[in-house]
Amino acid sequence: QKRHLLTLLSKRRSKQEAGNLRQIAFSKQLLKWRLIGEGYSSQLSIDDQRYIFKLAFRMWSEVSPLDFVEDVHSPLAEIDIRLGFGTGRHLGCTQAFDGAGQEFAHAWFLGDIHFDDDEHFTAPNTGYGISLLKVAVHEIGHVLGLPHIFRPGSIMQPSYLPQDTGFEIDWLDRKAIQKLYGGCRGHFSTVFDWIRKERTPYGEVVVRFNTYFMRGGWYWMYENRNNRTRYGDPVAVQMGWHGVPSNGVDAYVHVWTWTTDAAYFFKGTQYWRYDGENDEAFTEDSEGCRYPRLISEGFPGVPSPIDTAFYDRRDSLIYFFKGKDVYAFHVGTHAVVSGYPKKIREAFPALVPGDHPVGHLDAAYLSYTHNAVFLLKGTRFWRLLGTREQRLKPSLPRNSLLPGKEVDQQWFDICDVHKTNLKM
Amino acid sequence: EKIFHNRDHSDVDVHAPHHAELIVDTDTARQFLSKYGFLKPLRLDESQSKEADYILGGERLHMRIQEGRSASRTGIETDVSANIPDLISGLRQFQVMSGLPETGVFDDATKAAMNKPRCGVPDRLSPTGSSVKDNSTGSSVKDNSTGSSVKDNSTGSAPADPVASNATINITDDQSDRNLKPASPR
């Protein structure tokens, strides 16, 4: 029973609204795909075909809560999306292909994708032919429920635009797919702005930062000015942070004073100092300290493991969070400040009664973009009252927490990909 | 893989792929417009879409009704070119969707657009022919960070750090290619 574009509403998948094609969407988040054996192209190696499709699915996974996995073992009936090449009448399809030129592929909502093998499909960035990657991303968009979108820059435009190297799924296409499947949510192990000093060609020292979100052994660089993560992220922690535990960290702290510029990663009972010059963790720093080092040695009085931490340069304190408590550690006296630990509620009171993370935080993030500190827990964040706000309203308690908000309403499209697609 | 038997593959029929029929006149343009949803295919009731005997007005008629052309009682096909308004509106809609001048005429620009490589999924999906136009406001996302400068106005005592004093250090959010962390191969 061949499924057809306009009439397909398979029993196996729910449709959200009868009749309105826009609302057809898969009702599950993990989708299996397969390049079917009778549908290999004669133009590219099978490995290239599979790699390109894997990358195309990953690109949609980077901007939606969907995960895709290639499944070459399950019975075909259990495969959600089947891809194949053919020419003319092909693969039992009711819509024959027309030969080289014009129609190069078609797809079914929640169904299969066919590519016209009379077209000259090429691997990404070869500069000629029809980019199989770009066509695959477009057709997968249809399968997921997107119609043609007549907007310059949209990957869902019906006509093929000659291969512009490095095409990506833009903001509005992301919002279109998120309208069908929702945004990307999840907790983070830590979030931080990585600061480094550089000398311009004119010899002046400039200070730059990049923002990183870490979750387990993976991380995203977040491009604040573009409101999205770097294309192609997440990547493995060990790819970008050499010598830091590959399964991720609990916290990151950057102590920055006239005399100290030290970046620390914390994991379990240990911590590492990171060498920004050589882009790797120190084994021994200029003060003769060897790493990894016990937290109890480097920060006496601070328990481990910790949930998270941040350095507040206003009072030279590192705030270490563990459970419902917070420890203030003075980097000058090298000791926990008297009166600590305190309850987080006490040291960081809620502005709106009851609207408080209470404890067991995921991340404490000092953001240079927002010039503010954020406490993150689960899918929500709370911003600390800023210095300027404090001055305007001296009656407000210091370090008050403003009401919580959803992380995905401030930082966009930080999406996981399936573990089989992580290393590409 | 193409089947071959000669060691030098000389028997592989490297057939030149056959080429799609070009859109060259109003007939082929009509087929294009109908295929991609700009023309409502003549609405034939399912039961009439084949050759058969029909009782119409008490009279038995052998009639062949073929999609895309109007069928008359006598079975003589009348040329649907009488549906010119249909064709013109279909052309206009395609031209609007494609960002072409809305002439309603099968002109060169329209012909070229129709012969471009494209996806086989219809441009207008819903049976009601409601167009699928991206109605987004195209609101660009406000860029919230263009190198915010970090200015610390704290009244800290001795300048405990380069930012505590009144000095201002510009810290810019760097997405230039100088960022040290490797991006993924893409």
Side-chain angles (χ1 to χ4, degrees), chain A residues 103 148 210 212 225 258 279, chain B residues 35 120 123 159 173-174 181:
Chain A
E103 184 177 353
H148 280 149
N210 284 118
Y212 293 95
R225 68 185 67 178
W258 279 125
D279 199 12
Chain B
K35 176 174 179 180
D123 292 335
D173 177 2
D174 171 43
K181 300 291 149 223

Side-chain angles (χ1 to χ4, degrees), chain B:
Chain B
E1 185 173 350
K2 297 216 181 302
I3 304 297
F4 63 89
H5 299 285
N6 299 356
R7 173 180 294 274
D8 64 356
H9 302 208
S10 55
D11 57 344
V12 172
D13 62 326
V14 191
H15 75 285
H18 94 270
H19 282 267
E21 180 190 353
L22 289 177
I23 315 288
V24 291
D25 55 28
T26 50
D27 253 4
T28 46
R30 164 184 295 285
Q31 287 168 31
F32 175 98
L33 293 170
S34 174
K35 176 174 179 180
Y36 293 111
F38 294 96
L39 268 189
K40 291 169 208 144
L42 211 59
R43 186 88 7 241
L44 293 175
D45 171 66
E46 280 299 304
S47 63
Q48 295 181 10
S49 64
K50 50 189 178 300
E51 190 159 332
D53 289 338
Y54 294 88
I55 306 294
L56 282 178
E59 196 180 344
R60 173 181 291 277
L61 277 175
H62 181 79
M63 193 149 35
R64 179 167 68 83
I65 287 188
Q66 180 178 358
E67 186 171 2
R69 295 173 171 277
S70 73
S72 70
R73 279 166 62 89
T74 57
I76 295 172
E77 292 167 357
T78 51
D79 177 10
V80 293
S81 55
N83 290 22
I84 289 298
D86 225 9
L87 179 62
I88 292 174
S89 80
L91 281 169
R92 280 185 191 283
Q93 288 168 48
F94 173 72
Q95 288 162 343
V96 167
M97 289 282 192
S98 310
L100 297 170
E102 189 188 342
T103 63
V105 172
F106 181 58
D107 51 32
D108 288 349
T110 306
K111 185 191 300 185
M114 286 182 172
N115 284 298
K116 272 184 183 173
R118 59 156 294 148
C119 168
V121 170
D123 292 335
R124 301 160 54 116
L125 290 176
S126 59
T128 58
S130 70
S131 70
V132 180
K133 181 109 183 80
D134 182 53
N135 299 317
S136 68
T137 56
S139 60
S140 66
V141 175
K142 186 180 166 320
D143 185 336
N144 67 351
S145 69
T146 48
S148 58
S149 72
V150 174
K151 188 176 173 59
D152 191 312
N153 305 313
S154 74
T155 54
S157 53
D161 74 48
V163 193
S165 65
N166 290 331
T168 300
I169 292 187
N170 259 307
I171 299 180
T172 57
D173 177 2
D174 171 43
Q175 258 89 50
S176 59
D177 54 4
R178 275 193 298 283
N179 80 63
L180 294 176
K181 300 291 149 223
S184 74
R186 200 167 85 230

Side-chain angles (χ1 to χ4, degrees), chain A residues 76 160 297:
Chain A
L76 199 54
Y160 177 80
E297 266 178 37

